[in-house]
Amino acid sequence: MSHDVLDACGDLLRNSRHLLVFTGAGMSAESGLPTFRDSDNSLWARWPPETLASAEGFRDDKALVWGWYAWRMANIAKATPNAGHNALAELEDLRADLAVITQNVDDLHERAGTRRIVHLHGSIFQSRCFACARPFVGYEIPDGAIEDPSLRIMPPKCRHCGGYVRPGVVWFGEALPVTAWSQSEQWVRECDLLLVIGTSGVVQPAASLVSMARRRGVTIILIDPGQSEHVASVDHHLRMGAGTALPALLERVKSAR
Ligand code: OAD
């Protein structure tokens, strides 16, 4: 990657007034968490989404679905933020206007120190009752869950109504959280620079935020070493991992201060 492109993107960052960041699974790849669809090791290359990410799948086999999410919860809990998460958090310390919209259900942005953030697809640790939707707190991930994604584990039961508890993620066919979506639309309306990081751009309506920004004439930078659908609608494409690109951009922002 030429330093000229990084320098040009660093200039755009410095000159922007409302910086918006939109992240996907590639953001957490260098923390050891699998993406969904860009390699043979990705989650949806190994497991069928209709079984593990739908209300029907949960109704059909709760122990299979909960065991898989317990495996993901255990791996996320063990993972640590990477250099990309840390650089974004440090950038937020320098730039109060920075906001993050993530499709990720992990908490690595927050653990790095990011505060102005919404989760479009929910948060895996915010479990709730499948029947009455009340939050369920205090789940202890069973020993062994971290090693075996096919371990069958029954979900805990709701302390209010006795219904089964489901993971706090948005499944296929479900609406996005209303507040997170309206906040995201507002940030897209306000931003003058959008940084899109590690997302294939195939899941709607999340991906439409990038088209909305495009229609507004916002400058867009993509950080993705692979083949994102967003390639066609961005001004600059940094074909690098987030853990390399973001520290390099941060360095350029800091050196000009
Ligand atoms: P995908 O797995 O579809 O795409 C991951 C993107 O990250 C690809 O474009 C990769 O090229 C890129 N990538 C891989 N390593 C990277 C790195 N080190 N740095 C930067 N980019 C990298 O993941 P998403 O687009 O996030 O939904 O998937 C969208 C949604 O589909 C997810 O939120 C999930 C899934 O079904 C729910 O959980 C509801």
Side-chain angles (χ1 to χ4, degrees):
M1 173 62 57
S2 111
H3 275 249
D4 292 351
V5 189
L6 274 170
D7 288 343
C9 292
D11 286 344
L12 286 169
L13 248 76
R14 264 201 313 279
N15 295 328
S16 66
R17 290 285 161 265
H18 293 280
L19 174 57
L20 181 59
V21 180
F22 177 52
T23 68
M27 182 76 224
S28 300
E30 289 158 81
S31 294
L33 300 180
T35 58
F36 287 93
R37 45 179 77 73
D38 68 309
S39 80
D40 292 347
N41 200 37
S42 292
L43 297 177
W44 297 154
R46 296 175 64 196
W47 289 281
E50 59 279 10
T51 306
L52 293 167
S54 74
E56 293 71 34
F58 186 70
R59 274 188 207 99
D60 285 352
D61 193 341
K62 293 178 183 55
L64 175 89
V65 173
W66 187 264
W68 189 75
Y69 282 96
W71 167 72
R72 286 184 62 200
M73 284 183 217
N75 279 283
I76 290 169
K78 194 189 74 177
T80 51
N82 63 54
H85 294 108
N86 292 335
L88 276 183
E90 199 177 332
L91 199 54
E92 188 182 352
D93 289 340
L94 304 173
R95 296 272 306 256
D97 58 289
L98 187 151
V100 177
I101 302 169
T102 188
Q103 296 165 87
N104 297 344
V105 299
D106 65 54
D107 56 355
L108 295 180
H109 280 302
E110 286 90 341
R111 280 200 264 146
T114 291
R115 298 175 301 274
R116 227 169 151 227
I117 181 168
V118 295
H119 284 263
L120 269 189
H121 292 163
S123 299
I124 199 165
F125 297 113
Q126 289 178 13
S127 309
R128 65 177 187 276
C129 178
F130 190 57
C132 75
R134 274 186 274 211
F136 180 88
V137 289
Y139 181 65
E140 298 220 349
I141 306 165
D143 292 343
I146 194 160
E147 279 105 38
D148 187 359
S150 50
L151 207 61
R152 296 181 61 80
I153 304 171
M154 278 309 276
K157 290 210 177 145
C158 175
R159 296 186 186 101
H160 301 280
C161 77
Y164 285 106
V165 168
R166 58 165 285 173
V169 305
V170 175
W171 281 332
F172 288 101
E174 294 182 329
L176 301 191
V178 176
T179 315
W181 180 253
S182 54
Q183 178 65 81
S184 300
E185 284 187 313
Q186 188 186 326
W187 282 340
V188 169
R189 281 195 297 272
E190 289 167 1
C191 73
D192 60 359
L193 180 64
L194 174 64
L195 214 50
V196 178
I197 306 171
T199 173
S200 58
V202 299
V203 173
Q204 296 292 357
S208 72
L209 292 171
V210 178
S211 341
M212 271 181 223
R214 186 86 210 150
R215 282 197 297 278
R216 283 196 52 239
V218 171
T219 304
I220 307 178
I221 300 171
L222 172 67
I223 298 175
D224 195 312
Q227 292 302 323
S228 167
E229 291 285 313
H230 293 306
V231 168
S233 44
V234 304
D235 298 282
H236 297 281
H237 182 184
L238 298 175
R239 293 179 189 277
M240 321 161 78
T244 308
L246 288 165
L249 291 175
L250 174 67
E251 197 184 300
R252 280 159 177 78
V253 170
K254 280 166 55 176
S255 68
R257 286 171 79 86

